[in-house]
Amino acid sequence: MSVQPPRPFYVPVGNEEQVFKAAYRQGLSIVLKGPTGCGKTRFVEAMAHDLGRPLITVSCHDDLTTADLVGRFLLRGGETEWVDGPLTRAVREGAICYLDEVVEARQDTTVVLHPLADHRRQLPIERLGITLDAAPGFCLVVSYNPGYQSVLKDLKDSTRQRMVAIEFGFPTPDVEEKIVATEAGIGPDRAAELVRLGQAIRRLETGGLREVASTRVLIAAGRLIAEGLSPRDAARAAIAGPLTDDSTVTRGLIEMIDAYLSGSDD
Amino acid sequence: MSVQPPRPFYVPVGNEEQVFKAAYRQGLSIVLKGPTGCGKTRFVEAMAHDLGRPLITVSCHDDLTTADLVGRFLLRGGETEWVDGPLTRAVREGAICYLDEVVEARQDTTVVLHPLADHRRQLPIERLGITLDAAPGFCLVVSYNPGYQSVLKDLKDSTRQRMVAIEFGFPTPDVEEKIVATEAGIGPDRAAELVRLGQAIRRLETGGLREVASTRVLIAAGRLIAEGLSPRDAARAAIAGPLTDDSTVTRGLIEMIDAYLSGSDD
Amino acid sequence: MSVQPPRPFYVPVGNEEQVFKAAYRQGLSIVLKGPTGCGKTRFVEAMAHDLGRPLITVSCHDDLTTADLVGRFLLRGGETEWVDGPLTRAVREGAICYLDEVVEARQDTTVVLHPLADHRRQLPIERLGITLDAAPGFCLVVSYNPGYQSVLKDLKDSTRQRMVAIEFGFPTPDVEEKIVATEAGIGPDRAAELVRLGQAIRRLETGGLREVASTRVLIAAGRLIAEGLSPRDAARAAIAGPLTDDSTVTRGLIEMIDAYLSGSDD
Amino acid sequence: MSVQPPRPFYVPVGNEEQVFKAAYRQGLSIVLKGPTGCGKTRFVEAMAHDLGRPLITVSCHDDLTTADLVGRFLLRGGETEWVDGPLTRAVREGAICYLDEVVEARQDTTVVLHPLADHRRQLPIERLGITLDAAPGFCLVVSYNPGYQSVLKDLKDSTRQRMVAIEFGFPTPDVEEKIVATEAGIGPDRAAELVRLGQAIRRLETGGLREVASTRVLIAAGRLIAEGLSPRDAARAAIAGPLTDDSTVTRGLIEMIDAYLSGSDD
Amino acid sequence: MSVQPPRPFYVPVGNEEQVFKAAYRQGLSIVLKGPTGCGKTRFVEAMAHDLGRPLITVSCHDDLTTADLVGRFLLRGGETEWVDGPLTRAVREGAICYLDEVVEARQDTTVVLHPLADHRRQLPIERLGITLDAAPGFCLVVSYNPGYQSVLKDLKDSTRQRMVAIEFGFPTPDVEEKIVATEAGIGPDRAAELVRLGQAIRRLETGGLREVASTRVLIAAGRLIAEGLSPRDAARAAIAGPLTDDSTVTRGLIEMIDAYLSGSDD
Amino acid sequence: MSVQPPRPFYVPVGNEEQVFKAAYRQGLSIVLKGPTGCGKTRFVEAMAHDLGRPLITVSCHDDLTTADLVGRFLLRGGETEWVDGPLTRAVREGAICYLDEVVEARQDTTVVLHPLADHRRQLPIERLGITLDAAPGFCLVVSYNPGYQSVLKDLKDSTRQRMVAIEFGFPTPDVEEKIVATEAGIGPDRAAELVRLGQAIRRLETGGLREVASTRVLIAAGRLIAEGLSPRDAARAAIAGPLTDDSTVTRGLIEMIDAYLSGSDD
């Protein structure tokens, strides 16, 4: 007797769950667009739970080869033996395959997705001389941070046009407060202060900041506070430190921390 | 007793079927030129069906080596054993070999096509020390998106001049409506609205758009509508999202969606 | 009893056959300079026939390694076994070795030709620790398109000065008409029209054109006409399509096609 | 009966020990920011001692591959046998894994850290087809010198925002004197002179200097003095030599050495 | 009973034979500087003959690795077996090792020459964990074309300063006439004409010419004349063709050919 | 009974022997800074002799991998067997490990030196999963030519600050005369002339010269003179040739040779 694990904690912001499930039912591929730390990974975990499909996640990077996705021959007992990669496993098992930060992968790696992402739903494995038809339930999901896009690192149009897009932003304040309080294990008032601080930072011009404060860094600050650090020490370590290396910008962020977090300037 | 599978759904736009078949009968190679999502892959599937030849498709990419096309030695039981690549299989079997997005491949990979593409119709396999004569029925087809051409990624002239070119554009409105309705499973009125939206987008200056709306994205929007999403949600996810990451351009596309799709601004 | 195959169809333009045969008798290496599609490959085939030597052709490319030319060790039955490359085979058998588009090869690959191309006529094979003397009859021939030359892709002077050069252009009109009629299987009048079209295109400024129309594309157009396509469809597919991707230039070429080919504007 | 080794000599400068231990208890990852030679490595050694965890250190560099961190197959007795890399060992054993100078590693190597650094605390090992959950006590620590940051060498925001930051500077004079005296085995007066010299150099404009004098070079000078070299010879070899190759700047530094170190101009 | 082969045909221009032999007796390494085709290879062959040492020649190129010079492990009967490279063979046998066009090799390959080229006369073979002392008679000779030198391709100073330099130019007219007549098998008058043509070309500004006419191309022209080609055809193929691809420059060279070679404008 | 070999001939210029030995006793690493040919290699040989430690020298280059220093697996009898590299051998045996021209190595190779060069004195061997403690007597010495430093090729500050620096210049005239006379086997007057010539060249502006004349080239000239060459021929081959390829600069150097060396203009 197996017990169903609980649904991963995810609070929807808009219609993202409806769009995901409609695309899933149609066998369409999906691209999730949005900044780092806004909950894309957690969302896919929740969708896989709701749809009852296994989830196979691959963190993409510059050096990810087609063989890393599709599989390779290994030497076993003097024989070369084929070992499926995560994409091939997902195709065979009808799993959801989530390629996180897909633009980090080399473009050749994304081209291998084309026959899977269009009407063919096929994965040709050249080295085996076979073409797999994706099992029912297989769904290809990729994520993408438009803020990082550049000439060198971008999703090809022929890949994008094979996918349905869902855009993510940061949650609304009341949703984000609920997330921060739940994830960090702190009270609602402290969570509300952290969210107001996060929103103030997001309103800044991004001159000295590398990126705005994500929900993730607010949760990390909350967890350090829950551990007994002062709010200032916690926010400096979890928010200011990751956002900038510049000492002037750091001083400005500490002033904001002192202004928004009660007890931070004790 | 085998049953002939149905002809892949393809509606001709011009004389492309005649040119393909004449070149096929003459043993000439063919380059298909046109934007992403306009039906090149489907066209080759239909031609292979009409001519009764097997079709072997290779999605090209930066990292595709000559060995990936021609074959390689694998270690089996302590022996190195030769395994044909897809191009060699097509040459031996007299199949149609379709190299999708051939400019993505490294130029060295395309040079291996030269003796196959001219009067010799031969594939030298250096590593075996043999030269194969292409079986009757073998036909080399490559596709190419002129909009992507650049100094780095372009088909060499010595390769181009070995091929007969067929140009593809988007289908005429009545043909496209028929395709969208059939492929998405929606009514003709909704299909006509989507096609008019697609044509309006194609008339825009391409300032903020990455590429024009292809037939493929119109079909995807239709499929999400068939799944119960509102027209606006469907078109935003399947058309606007893939076409742009810019928020101003996105707002403009949503206004067009509201104007062209009935019921989209409910 | 073996039958001598017929001489490959080649019509000389100037003294190229005399120069080739004199260099061959002297054991000198030969570089063929000229544009794509002007008949260099066919010329070498005819020379090999006349001189009664086997012909070994290698299409050069960026990724062609010295090992691809000279040979490599393969694993057979647990032993590494040496397998000659095409250059080594030619050296041992006294064949004509033709390296097509030699500037595509990496310069290190061309340096291996030096001891073969000068008075030594030797091929050192470092990995075997031996040096082969070329068998009588061995002749090294390379081709080269000066129009492609660039800083990155050029034949080194120390390589060039080891070779005798033969320059190729397009044949004279009467020779080219004979070639097009014979190769395409069309009548002399149609062949003459195609040659006049080709010459008109060669007189154009090359602003929008990638390269001038080669004899090869005129033959391809003739073959499509022989297959029943209209002259306009045939010339558009076989001549205009390979020469440009620009729509304005395409329109200009179609006007020329209509003007030069009878029956093309029906 | 094992004897607990003594605590590595580390004198705290601020709240860095509290922040580290709070992040450790929360399972958060940690980035140490600061210049070379300020004691980051020693700090991690002291934290590992206090928390009773093994410490696994990896010096990062350009050529460090994911396989170097995660593991690889080796050939043993004709079988390919998997050997864990240091990161995998740390994940299995619940060790502290310290990646020194992490920006030197290729970005693909840092992306493999993402699922370990966020709420998942998982290490997917694609080549084994498994995903490891980090053992309790596992903690990921990376170090980073903001002064070296550049477009090419920087920590990705999606990596930074998964970590809590602790900033390091040089210790206060009294702390640094204690460190230099203890580590070099010299008297407190000589140590104080060396620290004053170090502070004077740190106040210089960095025009001709590559980097300011670290605590490490002050200790090295002290050790050479303890070995019997004159203060000038010691400081020239251990401080001036590493800091500059410029002869004018060298002369300036020697004047400072003569001014700050008693007996150096004998 | 073995017969001593004849001395390779080499006519000295200056004191190059004395300098070579003095350096050889002192165990010093030698760099030969000069343009392509001036006789450097033939000179080394003559010196090896005079000194009674075997000659091992390596044509250097971009892809020549240290392993190609020093040796590598090959798989034989399931064992890895070491096979000496040409440099190691020369070190063991006391041969003259001639690295032709050494600047073509990667700088790392030249660094391996340092301990051989200075007082140590040693070759460390890292992969065997041994260091070989060069056998008596070993002599390292490299050639170098200063005209090709560039930032990327140049001999490191630490390599140059380990060597004695001998500069080569083209031979004096009377010497060159003797060489051309002997090597091409033509009469002295024709040889004198070819040498005068070569000297006239060497006096030209090098605007359209890639490099001046070497003795080697004059010999090649003579050999084509000996084979029965007209002087103009011979000189065009062997001199003008290798020196330029430019049609204007070609016309100028043909005028010079007509002016200098009797019977060339028949 | 073994006989102690004689001390390598080295004449100290300043306090370099004291600094080296103090650093050695303290277990500190050492960087030798100075131009090519000034005696750094000989100095390390003398220090190893005085300290009674074995000396393991590695000439660094662009392609030197960490595996070349640390070791690698080789296939022996079907097993992969580990073979120590020179750095690992030195660590195990307590040898002096001398990395000549360390900036030529890739930076990743120098990072592997960090744990060896600081208080840890450890060499982690990732591929074996072990960390070696350096045996007593181990000492890391690297050399470095500041004149070659550039953005691409420079020693990282985090590496430099782990080392004690010793600067080398050319010896004083009387020391250099003694070295040249002893090494070349010529009389003191001729040696004095060569040193005066060398010093005159070192005083030149370095416009046309690649580097100043090192002690090494003066010795080479002396050896050619000892072999019977005229002073001019010897100095031209051993000094002018290595220092420049420019004909104007060469003429200037020959004038200096004639002026400084008696009997050179005979």
Side-chain angles (χ1 to χ4, degrees), chain A residues 207-265:
Chain A
L209 285 185
R210 302 166 56 105
E211 189 159 305
V212 297
S214 68
T215 308
R216 178 180 283 137
V217 301
L218 302 182
I219 294 169
R223 287 168 73 181
L224 293 182
I225 291 171
E227 203 58 51
L229 283 194
S230 77
R232 178 190 242 186
D233 284 355
R236 182 168 183 172
I239 300 175
L243 288 183
T244 188
D245 292 328
D246 184 280
S247 59
T248 310
V249 179
T250 298
R251 275 197 300 275
L253 287 175
I254 290 173
E255 285 174 21
M256 292 176 73
I257 289 168
D258 289 348
Y260 279 91
L261 300 190
S262 57
S264 78
D265 51 350

Side-chain angles (χ1 to χ4, degrees), chain F residues 9-32:
Chain F
F9 181 73
Y10 181 79
V11 185
V13 179
N15 68 348
E16 69 267 28
E17 299 196 349
Q18 286 74 41
V19 175
F20 189 100
K21 289 173 183 174
Y24 172 82
R25 286 191 300 268
Q26 282 288 327
L28 294 168
S29 299
I30 300 163
V31 54
L32 310 179

